[in-house]
């Protein structure tokens, strides 16, 4: 048995807002494991040297967040298929042989959160509308198609970005003009906001939401505030509303298990710890 305390952490810039340290520390404490999880503010030009040095200081892996997710994928020596598909890494495992293994668990976290918040969700029930075509949208698209969603209507303020994403994911994804976004909600079994609209400090969501109908599942990746205006409108329309915090919690599960050897559970205490 090694006396070394296993360390993990999250690298981004800025990083002070991250909820991951309190989440992983909660799991370490409740599972009675030794270890720690450290937030690290690292500039782009220092990323590679930091990643190559951390294993020598006892780190078993790190999470990667904005703006380093694409660069981390480039630096890694081994990459999972899902990270390649998404084009970004959010989880790195430092192997004993010195190699850096990159994965992306955002899509997994998204689907697990959806299943937990909407247990009756049937992926094949009908089209999904996805608002936004940034980094998070790639993970959402990959995981929805993998889950068996037959058709995705993708809409983004900058249309060309949505078109690029649709090209990458094939015929099941079609682009809808941003000004038409409100018109496709009515026919959607699932609506996902992957834009930053509605987040504290960001502009409000202005897409007309009167097309939402009872029974539609609506989920928002934004979790600050927990109940966004989109989710409030969804509840008022009789939809099943699923907040975005669970995605953050679920995406952390596989990483924690790889680093610390125990699979944590996502429960109400986990949510409370992340919100502290
Ligand atoms: P990103 O790559 O920067 O993409 C931002 C997206 O928001 C783009 O589609 C962008 O459209 C759109 N957008 C921004 N301002 C807008 C405006 N004023 N009007 C219309 N659209 C606007 O960011 P990301 O990494 O995809 O993250 C997106 C959001 O998801 C963030 O709020 C992030 O916190 C959240 N997120 C949550 C989780 C979770 O675990 N719950 C995980 C990942 C991300 P354009 O292309 O036109 O700029």
């Amino acid at each position: 048995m090694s006396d070394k305390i296993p360390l993990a952490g999250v690298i981004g810039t800025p990083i002070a807002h991250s909820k991951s340290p309190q989440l992983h520390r909660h799991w370490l404490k409740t599972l009675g494991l030794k270890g720690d999880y450290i937030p690290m503010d690292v500039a782009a030009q220092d990323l590679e040297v930091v990643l190559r040095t951390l294993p020598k200081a006892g780190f078993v892996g790190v999470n990667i967040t904005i703006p380093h997710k694409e660069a981390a994928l480039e630096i890694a020596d081994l990459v999972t298929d899902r990270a390649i598909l998404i084009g970004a890494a959010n989880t790195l495992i430092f192997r004993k042989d010195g190699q850096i293994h990159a994965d992306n668990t955002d899509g997994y976290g998204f689907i697990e959160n959806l299943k937990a918040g909407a247990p009756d969700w049937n992926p094949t029930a009908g089209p999904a509308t996805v608002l936004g075509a940034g980094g998070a949208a790639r993970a959402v698209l990959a995981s929805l198609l993998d889950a068996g969603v037959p058709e995705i209507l993708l809409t983004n303020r900058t249309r060309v970005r949505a078109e690029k994403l649709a090209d990458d994911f094939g015929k099941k994804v079609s682009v809808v003009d941003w000004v038409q976004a409100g018109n496709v909600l009515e026919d959607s079994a699932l609506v996902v906001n992957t834009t930053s609209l509605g987040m504290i400090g960001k502009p409000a969501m202005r897409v007309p939401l009167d097309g939402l109908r009872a029974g539609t599942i609506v989920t928002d990746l934004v979790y600050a505030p927990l109940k966004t205006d989109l989710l409030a409108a969804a509840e008022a329309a009789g939809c099943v509303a699923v907040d975005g915090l669970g995605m953050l919690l679920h995406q952390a599960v596989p990483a924690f298990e790889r680093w610390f050897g125990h699979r944590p559970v996502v429960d109400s205490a986990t949510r409370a710890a992340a919100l502290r």
Side-chain angles (χ1 to χ4, degrees), residues 19-31 113 223 226 243-254 256 263-276:
K19 295 188 184 305
S20 294
Q22 62 243 49
L23 168 63
H24 286 271
R25 286 175 184 161
H26 164 77
W27 281 334
L28 284 166
K29 195 172 165 202
T30 53
L31 289 164
N113 185 42
Y223 56 81
L226 259 188
D243 73 50
L245 181 64
M247 176 176 171
L248 178 81
L249 308 182
H250 283 285
Q251 62 79 30
V253 169
F256 185 96
R263 193 167 182 86
V265 292
V266 173
D267 56 15
S268 54
T270 318
R271 279 177 73 87
L275 289 171
R276 260 202 297 275

Side-chain angles (χ1 to χ4, degrees), residues 66 132-137 156-158 161 178 194-197 199 203 221-223 244 247-248:
I66 293 170
N156 192 52
R157 175 183 60 176
T158 310
R161 216 174 167 193
W178 183 241
T194 77
T195 75
S196 50
L197 294 173
M199 189 173 166
L221 266 57
V222 171
Y223 56 81
M247 176 176 171
L248 178 81

Side-chain angles (χ1 to χ4, degrees), residues 67-231:
H68 300 320
K69 287 182 168 188
E70 287 82 11
L73 192 73
E74 294 297 315
I75 293 167
D77 306 302
L78 301 160
V79 179
T80 61
D81 288 346
R82 60 187 179 181
I84 290 173
L85 187 63
I86 294 167
N90 76 336
T91 301
L92 301 181
I93 293 130
F94 300 145
R95 290 166 36 129
K96 289 205 169 69
D97 63 5
Q99 295 196 305
I100 297 177
H101 186 231
D103 193 6
N104 194 312
T105 63
D106 279 338
Y108 166 85
F110 170 73
I111 294 291
E112 289 304 302
N113 185 42
L114 205 48
K115 286 184 189 164
D120 294 332
W121 176 53
N122 171 9
T124 61
T129 292
V130 175
L131 307 169
R138 288 193 82 87
V140 167
L141 255 54
S143 62
L144 287 178
L145 291 172
D146 189 48
V149 169
E151 183 187 1
I152 296 178
L153 305 167
L154 179 64
T155 181
N156 192 52
R157 175 183 60 176
T158 310
R159 187 180 167 106
V160 64
R161 216 174 167 193
E163 282 168 352
K164 166 81 177 68
L165 209 50
D167 279 352
D168 289 352
F169 282 95
K171 286 200 295 270
K172 288 182 179 169
V173 182
S174 43
V175 176
V176 173
D177 218 68
W178 183 241
V179 292
Q180 300 294 330
N183 298 342
V184 292
L185 301 180
E186 200 174 344
D187 300 322
S188 304
L190 172 70
V191 175
V192 186
N193 176 40
T194 77
T195 75
S196 50
L197 294 173
M199 189 173 166
I200 293 168
K202 300 283 183 186
M205 165 80 67
R206 299 239 180 268
V207 172
L209 300 173
D210 41 321
L212 288 173
R213 56 179 169 76
T216 301
I217 297 168
V218 180
T219 185
D220 201 330
L221 266 57
V222 171
Y223 56 81
L226 259 188
K227 189 184 283 190
T228 59
D229 288 348
L230 170 64
L231 294 183

